[in-house]
Amino acid sequence: MAHIVLTGGAGFLGSHMCDRLLAENHTVTVVDNLSTGRPVNLEHLAGESRFTLIQQDACAPLEVDGPVDYVMHLASPASPPDFARIPFECLRAGSFATHNMLEFALNRGARFLLASTSEIYGDPPAEFHPQTEAYAGNVSPIGRRSVYDEAKRYAETVTMTYQRECGLETRIVRIFNTYGPRMRPDDGRVVTNFICQALRGEPLTLYGEGKQTRSFCYVTDLVDGIYRLLLSDEPEPVNIGNPFEFTVRTLAEKILELTGGASELVTVPLPFEDDPKQRKPDISKARHVLGWEPKVSIDEGLGYTIDYLRDQILQTQ
Ligand code: UDP
């Protein structure tokens, strides 16, 4: 069984990744500064002898005992409101922290996996829809999202350079919109906003006209794809996401239906000028190379997420 060092393990995705790795009988050391991650996401692992949490920044020198087989760099703020709230943390997570964890992996003879993002495709025009891994992107280098998008693009570059120049084994997953339990209720993303608004009887806020599209993947499906990639021989980036695409307005209507809420839909100005108008992964490569595809339907996944957020809201009342 392997020892995996996982940055960002207290976050939404990271904590589900921990659960999967431990279920596969691995040993997990999480590195997390709890900037956007939350200890509550790991509370259920207290007393697990194969699990350790080191509370520190992924940019800081790291000391870990014993052999390390895999390094997974998931640490980064990832919700659009965080791009404005903590822009330097986004930049540092993609740049200095990626360098630091690559050096750590190289020194320890470990394979390195980078959590990249569909944001590296930016705002793709119609001829690059859905997005394949070959699409190079349409990203503003100076927009409000650029602190995340460009940092992740840089992270991919530096990862590929360690692979080419240092012979480090690396994997890159491009993660599309993901949702599920353990998202922060106040993270400002569309799924959490709409569900919390519906449960509280508040208006659902459509940014712009709500005509923009996204494709949402349930978290356990995503974690399965990342785990398969980690163990695979694929050295180049792989999209992991659910290709089922719909508009933000349709998402709002679906959430009202599933929560039984009666809130109205209101339109408000787009907070970021560089908000992508459409996004959908082409997952041919993941299907072919990893034998992976998502299994959880949007209704089922939203159901679990609604139950979780309902509990969270009740706890804070
Ligand atoms: N959005 C919205 N209302 C909200 C929050 C977000 O209409 O209350 C829109 C947002 O403008 C974007 C989409 O929903 O077009 C997805 O936003 P999210 O922040 O979840 O992730 P993104 O895909 O933009 O990174």
Side-chain angles (χ1 to χ4, degrees), residues 78 80-81 83 119 145 177 188-191 193-194 197 205-207 210 212 214 216 248 270-271 275-276 279:
F83 306 162
E119 287 280 329
R145 287 179 176 254
N177 293 68
R189 287 181 168 129
V190 70
V191 171
N193 272 7
F194 285 179
Q197 288 162 345
T205 50
L206 301 179
Y207 295 166
Q212 64 273 44
R214 293 293 188 271
F216 296 92
V248 160
L270 276 176
D275 194 318
R279 181 185 289 157

Side-chain angles (χ1 to χ4, degrees), residues 18-273:
C18 286
D19 290 345
R20 174 64 187 266
L21 295 172
L22 291 166
E24 300 283 346
N25 280 326
H26 299 306
T27 299
V28 179
T29 301
V30 162
V31 179
D32 200 305
N33 66 359
L34 304 182
S35 158
T36 56
R38 297 180 299 161
V40 68
N41 290 341
L42 298 172
E43 216 172 51
H44 59 292
L45 300 178
E48 167 57 67
S49 60
R50 287 179 290 116
F51 176 78
T52 310
L53 170 64
I54 300 177
Q55 192 181 332
Q56 70 169 49
D57 195 296
C59 295
L62 180 60
E63 284 182 26
V64 173
D65 292 336
V68 177
D69 303 290
Y70 299 96
V71 174
M72 302 179 77
H73 181 38
L74 271 61
S76 177
S79 94
D82 285 346
F83 306 162
R85 189 176 64 89
I86 43 176
F88 287 106
E89 288 192 40
C90 298
L91 288 165
R92 282 161 51 82
S95 57
F96 297 116
T98 306
H99 268 282
N100 190 39
M101 297 316 300
L102 280 160
E103 271 302 310
F104 177 81
L106 189 64
N107 288 334
R108 304 302 289 269
R111 180 179 289 182
F112 178 87
L113 179 139
L114 172 70
S116 185
T117 167
S118 57
E119 287 280 329
I120 70 120
Y121 300 126
D123 187 9
E127 65 266 37
F128 295 107
H129 192 74
Q131 293 74 55
T132 69
E133 288 84 353
Y135 177 52
N138 175 32
V139 177
S140 164
I142 56 168
R144 296 304 290 268
R145 287 179 176 254
S146 64
V147 292
Y148 183 69
D149 301 9
E150 295 288 29
K152 287 287 189 185
R153 287 168 68 89
Y154 177 79
E156 288 201 9
T157 306
V158 66
T159 298
M160 290 306 291
T161 307
Y162 269 80
Q163 182 190 112
R164 293 191 187 106
E165 301 299 318
C166 310
L168 182 66
E169 278 193 27
T170 67
R171 305 287 176 262
I172 298 176
V173 55
R174 290 186 180 152
I175 300 173
F176 283 68
N177 293 68
T178 305
Y179 69 101
R182 302 191 195 150
M183 293 179 90
R184 281 184 289 140
D186 61 350
D187 77 352
R189 287 181 168 129
V190 70
V191 171
T192 38
N193 272 7
F194 285 179
I195 294 177
C196 291
Q197 288 162 345
L199 293 173
R200 292 183 177 123
E202 297 165 359
L204 272 55
T205 50
L206 301 179
Y207 295 166
E209 297 284 299
K211 286 188 191 148
Q212 64 273 44
T213 70
R214 293 293 188 271
S215 313
F216 296 92
C217 188
Y218 188 65
V219 63
T220 52
D221 278 337
L222 183 95
V223 161
D224 184 49
I226 297 178
Y227 185 65
R228 286 171 188 242
L229 176 62
L230 181 73
L231 302 186
S232 80
D233 293 329
E234 178 53 51
E236 301 224 339
V238 180
N239 289 339
I240 299 286
N242 191 324
F244 183 43
E245 178 192 18
F246 43 87
T247 65
V248 160
R249 183 178 287 274
T250 301
L251 176 70
E253 288 162 353
K254 185 162 271 307
I255 286 173
L256 281 181
E257 185 191 311
L258 291 171
T259 52
S263 303
E264 55 172 342
L265 307 184
V266 295
T267 55
V268 298
L270 276 176
F272 296 132
E273 74 288 353

